[in-house]
Amino acid sequence: MTVGPQGFSIIDLPPATPETLDSYDNLPVDPFMGNGTRHKRFTQYRLSPKPGPDGRWTYEKLPHRDYITYTKYNNVAGGIRRPYEPVTVDFTPLVTVGAEALDLDRSHDWQINIHQNRSTASGECCAPITPEGVHSDGHEYIMIAVLCRNNVAGGETRLWMPDGDTPFWTGTLAAGKAVLLDDAAVKHEATDVTSADGGPGHRDIVIVAYSTWENRWYGEEYEEAALTDGPTN
C-alpha cells in the first residue's frame, strides 16, 4: 500500500481524454449538496482480480441504484436516497490507476463507487465542497482525482488525524493530481471554490471509493442499514 505512514499519498494521473473532460459539460445539478453549484453523476462497479500473471482487474458495472450514505459520515445528506443519473464515460482506467497505486488486496473482490462532480463558481457565488465539514467516508480507501481547474481559486484539501484539532496537511491539488486516503486513518475536507477573476469557473473531479465486497455499499441490505444508520451486519 502506498498511502504512506500518515495514511495518504499524492499521485500523478494520466492525461484525461477530451471525451472525459467534455462529459462534465452536461452533468445534472445535484439537488442535495452544493446549493446549486454542484453537478453530479454516480455509478457503481464490482472490481475483481483477473487470474494470471498480468495482474489486471475486471470490471462489472452494477445495476444502477440510488446513492445512500450514513448520517454518521454525512450530516447534511446522509440517511436519505439520492437518485443521480449514471456516469456516461468510462472511468475504469482511472479506477485501475488508484487500485494499482494502493496495491489493493487481490485475494477478494472490491466494490467501487464513482462520483463525477463539477463545482462551479462566479463572482456572486462560491461552491461549498464539503458542507458536511471534516469527515471520513466509511470506505477502506478513497481517491480524490482532480481533472480540471478552470478560472478557480480555493478548493484546498485539508487532512486531519481522526482526533486532531488542526489539519496535519494542506494543499491544493492541481489538475492531473490525486490524493489517496486510508479512510479509517485520515479525515478530510476541502475549502470552498471561488472564481479566480469574478467570472465563471469550475473544478472537475472524480471521487472513487474502494470497499471490500464483503463490506459493499450496494444492495437492499446495505440501503436498509444506511437509511436507518444501523450496522450492515
Side-chain angles (χ1 to χ4, degrees), residues 127-179:
I129 302 301
T130 50
E132 67 271 40
V134 179
H135 67 285
S136 58
D137 290 322
H139 304 277
E140 274 73 16
Y141 303 108
I142 300 292
M143 177 171 67
I144 304 170
V146 178
L147 302 191
C148 177
R149 288 177 59 94
N150 179 57
N151 195 40
V152 293
E156 181 183 63
T157 299
R158 298 178 178 178
L159 305 182
W160 306 65
M161 301 306 293
D163 56 354
D165 295 326
T166 58
F168 70 84
W169 184 89
T170 62
T172 301
L173 297 174
K177 297 285 187 179
V179 60

Side-chain angles (χ1 to χ4, degrees), residues 182-195:
D182 179 341
D183 196 43
V186 178
K187 291 187 175 183
H188 61 280
E189 68 166 351
T191 61
D192 293 353
V193 165
T194 61
S195 168

